[in-house]
Amino acid sequence: MLKQRHFILRRCIALNLTGAFSNPHVVMALKGTRSISWTGILAFFVFWIHSANGDVSFSFPEEIKRGSVIGNIVKDIGLETGKLALRKARIDTEGKAKRYCDINLTTGDLIVSERIDREALCGDKASCVMKHELVLESPMELHRISIHVQDINDNSPLFNEDLVKIEIRESAIRGARFLIEEARDADVGQNSVQRYSLRENEHFKLSVDANTVELVLDKELDRENKEEINLILTAMDGGSPPKSGTVGIHVTVLDANDNAPVFSQVVYEASVQENVALDTVVVTVHATDADAGINGEVTYDFGHVPDDVKSRFSIDRTTGDIRVIGAIDFELETFFEVRIKAKDGLGLSSYTKVIINVIDVNDNAPVIELKSLSDPILENVQRGTEVAIINVQDRDSEKNRQVRCSIQFNLPFKLVPSIKNYYSLVTTSGLDRELVSDYNITIMATDKGSPPLTSSKIIQLTVADVNDNPPLFDEVSYSAYVIENIQPGSTLCSVSARDPDWRQNGTVVYSLLPSEVNSSPVSLYVSVNGDTGVIQALKSLDYELFRSFKFQVMARDNGSPPLSSNVTVSVYITDVNDNTPQILYPTPEGNAFKAELVPKATHGGSLVSKVIAVDGDAGQNAWLSYRIIQSTDPGLFTIGLHSGEIRTQRDISESDSMKQNLVVSVNDNGPTPLSATCVVYFLISDDLAEVAEFNHHTEESDSTVTFYLIIALVCVSTFFLTFLVLILSVRFCRSRKPRLLFDGAVAIPSAYLPPHYAEVDGMATLRSAYNYDGYLTTGSRTSDFKFATSYNDNTLPADQTLRKSQTDFAEIFGDSEGSPEGSPATSLLQRHRAEA
C-alpha cells in the first residue's frame, strides 16, 4: 500500500500535477483500499495548466466517459458565465479534425463530447496533445486550448507472431545471442512494455537491453541429444494491474550456420511525395550473409509494423524493393517508420529501420467556413460595421497552407484579418436598399502553393429597408382646368407621388394642407382621395366669385417617423354663360317710368338715348348686343348693335305720335344666348309741361292699379279669416249636439260630385277655400252631410236633406224664371237620378 502511494506521488510530480493534491478525489485515492484500480485513480487527475503565451491547457486520462467535466474554462480565462450564450461561445478545431470536447454555455465547463482513444489519436508518441480553439463573438476573441490526453493501461503487450521459429546450429558457442522481435504495447510510458520473462530452461536465458530482446545461449546444444526446444517468452507492462502478452519460441537445432544477414545501413531514410503514383519504388534495402549456399540466401519481410503501413507499402522478398501500393496523404501521416527483417535460409535474421518521409503537395484547396452572419442588415448601418465572421483553413503545410482572402472590388464591403485564420467582413460605406437590395458576396481564398489552389464561397446578404426617402411627386406642380358650375363629386385632377422605400415605408397617403379660398377653408371646395390622389370638387365653382385658386397636397409615407413632401395644385375656372344681362339704364324710379324728351325738330341720326347693360360673365359670354323688338313707330328709331345708342332714323314729322315706346332686347354672345328686355319711353314735344303731365298721368294710372290691388288683398284676407272662424264654430257645435242626419247610405254618392264640395249657386269663381259659403260639403258614403251655418239665402238649411222633392228644391233655392231646370240644384238632382 505504501509503495502504491509513493508511485502515485511520483506520477503527480512527473506530470506537474501540483494542484491535484487539493482535489478530494486524489486524497481519497491516496487513502483508498487495495481494491481501487489505477484507471480510477487517473480519472481524478484533471487540472489546468497556464502556458507562457496565455493559452489554456488541460490534462485528463483517455477513455473517460462522455459528459465528463474536464475543467471550467470560464474561470480560467476570466469570463462571465452569463455572457457565453450572448457571445456565441463555441469550440472549433482546425480543418475537418474531429471535435472531442464541447463547452457548457450555462456553467462554462469543458466537457467530453466523444470517446477519446489516445492510441488512435497519437499512436506511440510520448505526448498526445489535442488542439482546440474557444471562439467568442461581439467582440471577437480566440483562446487556444491544449488538451493533454494521459495514457491509461488499456492495451496488453503483443508480439508480432504467435510462434517464433529459430534454427540454431549445434556449433553455437555459449553466450551466442539470438535476437527476438520485441513486443509492442500501444500504451506509452509506464504503461508500455517494462520487462520480459522467459520460462525456465537449461539452455537459454534472456537478455533485455532498451528495446532489444535476445536469447542468450547459456549451455551448448547437442542436436543428437535434443533436436527441438520450446520456450515461452512473456512481456509485461508497468500498469496497475500489469498486463502481459506471450509468444512461443520453437528452437530447432541444426548443423552450424554461424552468420546472420547484415544490412548495408543501420537506418534507411527516403522521401516520397504524397501524390506519388502506385507501384513506385520508394527505397531498396540490402543485406548480405557471409555463409554460402542456402545459409547465405537472404529474404526480406516486414517486421512488426502497423496495418496502415502494410496497406500502403509492400516489399519484394527477393530484391528488397519497397513499393507504394496505397494512397499516401501528408495530412494524415507525415512519415512512416518501417521495420524490415532479413532472414537467411536456415533462419538467422537481422533487422533494420526504414524511415519514409512524406513530402507535402499542394493538393488541398482552402476551406471557407461562415461562422457568423448578420442577415438582414439595415441600410443605415455605420461604416465599419461587422457583418460576418469567416474562418479559412488549409490542410497543407508551410507555404501550401498560407492563404490570401479577397472579395470583389465593387462592393461596399472589405475583409479585415482578425485572429489567426479568422476574417471579419465589414462595411466600407453606407448602404442604399433603393439602389441595391441584395448582395452576393463572393469570397475568394487562394493559397501560396505551386500551383496555387483557389476556393470560393458566396454569401447572400439582404439589405433591410429604412424609411429614408420621402415621397416625390411626378410633377413639380399640377394644374386643373374646369368649367364653372361643375357638379359636386366631379374629378378635377389627380396627383401621384412615388416612394422608393419598401412596404409601409413606401406606402403613400395623400391629404390636403390647410389653406383658404375666398376666405373659406379649402376643404369646403375640394377633397383628395388618400389612396389614389384623385382630387374632387365638393361644391359647384362660380367663375364670377373667383376665377382660380391654389392649394397644397401633402404626400406622406407610413414609415416611423413618417416622411412627407408637398405639391401645389392650381385650379383654373372656365366661364359658362350663366348670367343674364342686367340693364342699368333705363331703370324704373319708384313706381313710375320716366320718359325721354325728344324735340320735334330732331333730325335723322341724332342720339336721343342709350341703353346701358352689363353681364357678370366674361369673354364672349359678356359681349352684349342690342335690338329693338317692338316700337310704336318701327321706322323712327334705331339702336346701335353693340353700343346701345338709340338714334333717330329720319327727321321727326308732325304726323308722328307724341308718345313713343321702344322695347329693347339685350342679348349676350354665349353658346346659348341669354337676354333681358326693357322699355324706353319717348315723348316728342318741345314743351316741358307736356312731359310733366305725361309723367303725372302715368303716376296716377299706376296709383289706381296699386289701390285696386290693395283692396283685393284685404278682401281675400278677410274672407279667409271668416272661413276659419266658421269652420271652428261648426266643429264646436257638432261636438255638443246629437247628430241630425241618419247613418245609412248617402243618397248622393261621392262619385257623382267633386270629392269635397258641390256647386249650388253657379258663382264658383274662387277656390273652395275662399268661397266656402257657396258650397255644400259632403261626407263619406256611410255618414251624414255636413253643413256650415248659412249666411246666404241660397245655402241649403241643415234640417233639409236630399229626400225632398224637386219642387222643394225650387222653393228653397228660388227660380226667377219659374222653371226648376234653371236652378243649379235642380240640374244637380237631375244628374244624380240619371246616374242612378
Side-chain angles (χ1 to χ4, degrees), residues 1 77 118 170 278 297 315 342 411 511 572-573 628 633:
M1 186 66 180
I77 62 177
R118 183 197 174 284
E170 60 182 352
L278 299 180
E297 294 179 0
I315 186 169
L411 297 179
S511 61
Y572 300 95
I573 304 171
I628 298 175
D633 189 347

Side-chain angles (χ1 to χ4, degrees), residues 372-428:
S372 178
L373 177 64
S374 299
D375 183 47
I377 183 171
L378 293 175
E379 61 177 321
N380 63 347
V381 295
Q382 298 295 326
R383 179 180 179 182
T385 300
E386 186 178 74
V387 177
I389 297 176
I390 298 152
N391 178 256
V392 182
Q393 301 280 352
D394 196 313
R395 299 180 61 198
D396 296 319
S397 62
E398 298 180 354
K399 276 191 175 183
N400 295 334
R401 72 177 301 169
Q402 296 179 13
V403 179
R404 298 186 303 268
C405 287
S406 63
I407 61 174
Q408 304 100 303
F409 293 104
N410 57 345
L411 297 179
F413 303 96
K414 69 176 181 180
L415 281 176
V416 178
S418 184
I419 303 173
K420 199 178 178 181
N421 49 2
Y422 283 86
Y423 295 84
S424 294
L425 181 67
V426 300
T427 58
T428 58

Side-chain angles (χ1 to χ4, degrees), residues 447-496:
D447 59 28
K448 294 185 178 180
S450 181
L453 297 179
T454 302
S455 61
S456 63
K457 187 178 185 66
I458 297 177
I459 298 177
Q460 294 182 344
L461 186 63
T462 302
V463 181
D465 184 46
V466 174
N467 190 29
D468 56 348
N469 290 281
L472 296 178
F473 285 93
D474 296 342
E475 299 181 15
V476 178
S477 62
Y478 291 85
S479 298
Y481 297 88
V482 297
I483 61 174
E484 65 173 328
N485 302 327
I486 189 172
Q487 292 294 326
S490 300
T491 299
L492 301 181
C493 65
S494 178
V495 297
S496 177

